[in-house]
Amino acid sequence: MLVEDIFSRDPLYVEDSTYLTKARQLIRDNHVRGLPIVDSRCQVLGVITSQDVLRITSTKSNVTVSGFKVQVPTVTGDTDVLDAARIMLKEKSNLLPVVESQEEKKLRGVVTIIDIFKHLDISKVPKKQISVIMSKKVVTARLDEPVTKVWDRMVERDFTGLPMVRDEKPMGIITRFDILKRGWARISKESETRPTDSMQLLAEKLMSSPLFSLGPEASVAEAIELMLKHDVGRVSVVEEGRIMGIVDRSDLIKCYLGE
């Protein structure tokens, strides 16, 4: 299968002169992982990601995306999908611009880790338990924590989502988009100098539930099927009511590739 068969055509993008706040709005309103950045000739310069815009707390800013662009490889329509997946894993990128050719970097579209994940051949998934590939050092957030503290943790550690717990028991999850789509959370972030305000805004208010989970003996194929069914980016591994690990799309694709 080639990138040509699965990539998103006519993608959202921004020019390098676009304000960061506008890029944030596009990412938030369209629930995308990032945007290609192009010049006036629609030549790809890089991308800006949801992680980048999560760092922007101000409501108004004259800063443009130019200084925040991330350099990522580009692919063409005739790139093999699994090769594109390997590039994403190596670069730790969730999307790659698709261009006319490696000589002509005109933007044609984007291919994302979600596009690739949706097209995995379940019949070719290695017969492994998720306990073998899960990340065991799980960082969580408490329901009673201020949003600002959880926000900082996600930015500093480059997390797309954190399981939320009460007394170490899983209750839900908080993601980048849960924060980005709520403007009042950003206003609280700007007001950290007023402890009373920020302390009253708890992470529980932004939590999504349920937290989808499987036992450690579940197979990799089961994890893929569960995530596809519910359109989620990660599954917690839970045993006796406690989170033992977590697997995300990248973990599962890496396993699929035998890496």
Side-chain angles (χ1 to χ4, degrees):
M1 185 179 295
L2 301 178
V3 166
E4 186 75 32
D5 302 317
I6 69 169
F7 84 99
S8 302
R9 294 163 170 80
D10 299 320
L12 292 168
Y13 63 87
V14 291
E15 293 193 1
D16 54 351
S17 58
T18 303
Y19 290 139
L20 271 172
T21 48
K22 176 63 175 179
R24 178 177 61 199
Q25 180 185 350
L26 288 171
I27 287 174
R28 180 193 67 210
D29 293 349
N30 294 279
H31 208 276
V32 292
R33 292 295 190 92
L35 300 168
I37 301 173
V38 301
D39 62 17
S40 59
R41 297 171 49 244
C42 213
Q43 301 286 311
V44 174
L45 301 174
V47 300
I48 184 166
T49 70
S50 58
Q51 173 72 353
D52 298 319
V53 299
L54 197 64
R55 300 176 187 275
I56 311 303
T57 60
S58 58
T59 304
K60 296 181 180 180
S61 172
N62 292 325
V63 178
T64 69
V65 300
S66 180
F68 282 75
K69 65 176 176 287
V70 177
Q71 299 293 337
V72 296
T74 57
V75 293
T76 62
D78 60 3
T79 302
D80 185 274
V81 165
L82 296 185
D83 287 338
R86 292 183 179 94
I87 293 171
M88 285 186 192
L89 292 174
K90 180 181 178 181
E91 300 293 329
K92 297 182 179 179
S93 175
N94 288 317
L95 78 158
L96 298 173
V98 182
V99 296
E100 293 285 355
S101 69
Q102 293 303 340
E103 294 73 33
E104 176 60 37
K105 299 282 189 177
K106 185 175 182 180
L107 181 67
R108 289 188 63 206
V110 297
V111 61
T112 69
I113 196 167
I114 298 175
D115 296 325
I116 292 172
F117 190 74
K118 287 179 177 179
H119 288 86
L120 295 180
D121 185 346
I122 294 294
S123 68
K124 296 181 180 179
V125 174
K127 298 184 184 304
K128 292 183 178 181
Q129 294 184 343
I130 55 176
S131 58
V132 176
I133 68 166
M134 68 182 183
S135 300
K136 296 179 180 179
K137 294 182 179 180
V138 183
V139 177
T140 61
R142 299 193 320 273
L143 269 62
D144 60 353
E145 282 191 273
V147 169
T148 52
K149 289 186 178 296
V150 178
W151 187 329
D152 287 340
R153 195 176 308 143
M154 292 177 74
V155 169
E156 290 166 4
R157 305 285 292 275
D158 195 17
F159 291 130
T160 58
L162 296 176
M164 298 198 65
V165 298
R166 175 186 286 141
D167 298 327
E168 298 189 1
K169 294 183 178 181
M171 304 298 293
I173 193 162
I174 185 169
T175 69
R176 287 179 189 171
F177 284 107
D178 290 326
I179 293 176
L180 286 173
K181 68 187 179 184
R182 292 171 171 88
W184 47 265
R186 185 174 66 254
I187 292 170
S188 175
K189 177 69 172 174
E190 289 183 310
S191 306
E192 277 190 287
T193 52
R194 297 179 294 177
T196 301
D197 292 344
S198 62
M199 289 298 289
Q200 288 178 352
L201 186 60
L202 302 182
E204 182 178 13
K205 294 183 179 292
L206 276 67
M207 179 181 72
S208 302
S209 61
L211 176 68
F212 293 102
S213 62
L214 290 168
E217 74 288 344
S219 68
V220 169
E222 286 178 290
I224 293 173
E225 290 170 342
L226 180 66
M227 288 167 61
L228 288 173
K229 179 180 178 180
H230 296 286
D231 192 24
V232 294
R234 63 202 61 77
V235 170
S236 293
V237 183
V238 176
E239 188 173 37
E240 297 181 356
R242 296 169 66 96
I243 298 177
M244 309 301 293
I246 196 164
V247 292
D248 62 15
R249 292 189 184 101
S250 294
D251 296 323
L252 295 168
I253 292 174
K254 187 180 297 185
C255 177
Y256 185 89
L257 294 172
E259 298 182 0

